[in-house]
Amino acid sequence: MLEQSPEQLQQLVAPIALYPDALVAQVLAASTYPTEIVEADRWMQQHSNLKGEQLAQAVDQTSWDPSVKALTQFPSVLANMDKDLSWASALGDAYVNQQQAVLDAVQTMRKRAQQAGNLKTTAQETVATQGQTVVIQPANPEVVYVPTYDPWIVYGPPLAVYPGWIAFPGLYAVGPGISFGVGFGVGLFAGFGWGWHHWGADWRGRTIIYNHNTYISHSRTFIDRNHFYRGGSGFRGGPAFHGGPAFHGGPAFHGGRPAVAQGFHGPAAAHVQPGTRSGAFSGFDHGGVTRTFSARGQSSVAHAGHGGGFHGGGHR
């Protein structure tokens, strides 16, 4: 997959650019683990009875990446990434290979939303301009509201809709402006190392911050082509890769050489070990992971709550 232009990256980040800084960080980090996104969303559907501290304790026992664990605080955001997996995996590929450009694209879109009169401080969140940087933070650090908006028109002149995009009910609105539904309490997750307050964005350095340090992804789903094609392993020395086991908690890929090593040109079979609960992947296609399901068929989308809230939902 060729390097994406600023315009393509702006289209790619449009659905999340107006989220609070820490949530943007969590989404970008988790997008490098598409199989774990699938696994975690299925797990959330199967454990919809767990709430608050019980949910946090159960999630903490999984071996998912901290970013994926963090998104269980926002089930509608996690479910949307699962539903729009091609978009989410393309976002992960872009973050691995064009990290600084992706963070720049987020800032560009925030400024456009401000200029359009749609991004401003509300009772739910504060919007502050610090030099050339637009920072978005929850008004109450213990309650996070996920903004509801139409990502293709909220920025002023309409954007082309991302190919295959499916708007998750309750998370994305039709029409101009930004609204908010029910806030997500993050206080019960604060005692865990992957909780809300451990995440942020370093806009000057144009990187994600986790536990006061630059976030390092150990996913091997995407190759840092900038280093791979210089004769390196593709997993060392890059801005987001330093080796490590692949797919913590997600189904492991094995057999054959994955298409990611060739820049996502053409599909290649990516086999999933038997016994996993997540959907099986049929391969990679132009930077996005193409997903197929076994006899269970397509997963049902869990019922969306108010303002992107998520109230479980069965796996059909």
Side-chain angles (χ1 to χ4, degrees):
M1 182 168 140
L2 299 175
E3 186 171 280
Q4 299 198 56
S5 68
E7 292 74 24
Q8 289 173 313
L9 293 176
Q10 290 158 18
Q11 180 194 43
L12 196 57
V13 303
I16 64 163
L18 303 186
Y19 287 0
D21 288 7
L23 186 52
V24 170
Q26 292 168 10
V27 170
L28 289 177
S31 68
T32 68
Y33 289 90
T35 54
E36 292 191 11
I37 289 170
V38 174
E39 179 91 0
D41 185 39
R42 296 299 179 274
W43 186 94
M44 290 290 288
Q45 294 182 41
Q46 294 164 8
H47 297 82
S48 58
N49 59 311
L50 295 178
K51 307 293 180 185
E53 180 122 8
Q54 281 188 321
L55 173 62
Q57 289 176 347
V59 167
D60 193 55
Q61 297 302 309
T62 71
S63 55
W64 302 323
D65 185 75
S67 61
V68 177
K69 292 181 181 181
L71 285 182
T72 62
Q73 299 170 99
F74 309 98
S76 54
V77 175
L78 178 65
N80 179 70
M81 294 178 74
D82 181 13
K83 185 175 183 180
D84 283 297
L85 195 66
S86 177
W87 161 78
S89 57
L91 186 66
D93 182 72
Y95 181 74
V96 167
N97 287 280
Q98 298 174 258
Q99 175 180 298
Q100 295 185 340
V102 168
L103 273 293
D104 283 343
V106 171
Q107 284 297 321
T108 296
M109 300 314 284
R110 288 183 174 186
K111 291 168 187 171
R112 287 189 188 175
Q114 277 186 321
Q115 293 166 359
N118 291 325
L119 181 61
K120 61 191 72 173
T121 294
T122 65
Q124 292 83 12
E125 64 182 22
T126 60
V127 178
T129 301
Q130 302 173 0
Q132 297 298 311
T133 300
V134 180
V135 176
I136 303 176
Q137 302 284 1
N140 177 348
E142 299 303 315
V143 181
V144 179
Y145 291 86
V146 179
T148 301
Y149 60 92
D150 186 327
W152 316 118
I153 66 172
V154 74
Y155 300 103
L159 289 173
V161 178
Y162 187 83
W165 175 261
I166 302 173
F168 190 82
L171 192 58
Y172 294 100
V174 176
I178 301 172
S179 61
F180 299 89
V182 176
F184 294 90
V186 295
L188 291 175
F189 295 78
F192 297 91
W194 42 266
W196 174 261
H197 300 291
H198 293 271
W199 295 89
D202 175 4
W203 296 113
R204 178 172 294 184
R206 293 181 295 178
T207 188
I208 290 171
I209 297 299
Y210 171 60
N211 279 342
H212 307 291
N213 293 295
T214 299
Y215 170 80
I216 303 297
S217 172
H218 295 290
S219 170
R220 291 189 177 182
T221 306
F222 306 108
I223 283 182
D224 179 358
R225 290 180 293 278
N226 295 319
H227 292 79
F228 182 82
Y229 288 123
R230 292 175 190 162
S233 67
F235 299 109
R236 298 182 186 278
F241 282 85
H242 292 277
F247 291 77
H248 306 293
F253 281 79
H254 64 95
R257 300 185 63 82
V260 287
Q262 304 162 22
F264 292 100
H265 295 296
H271 304 291
V272 178
Q273 290 179 346
T276 57
R277 288 175 304 187
S278 64
F281 289 85
S282 63
F284 298 87
D285 184 22
H286 303 295
V289 176
T290 304
R291 181 182 60 204
T292 58
F293 293 98
S294 57
R296 292 184 179 183
Q298 294 287 344
S299 71
S300 65
V301 177
H303 304 295
H306 303 293
F310 188 99
H311 296 285
H315 188 73
R316 301 286 188 266

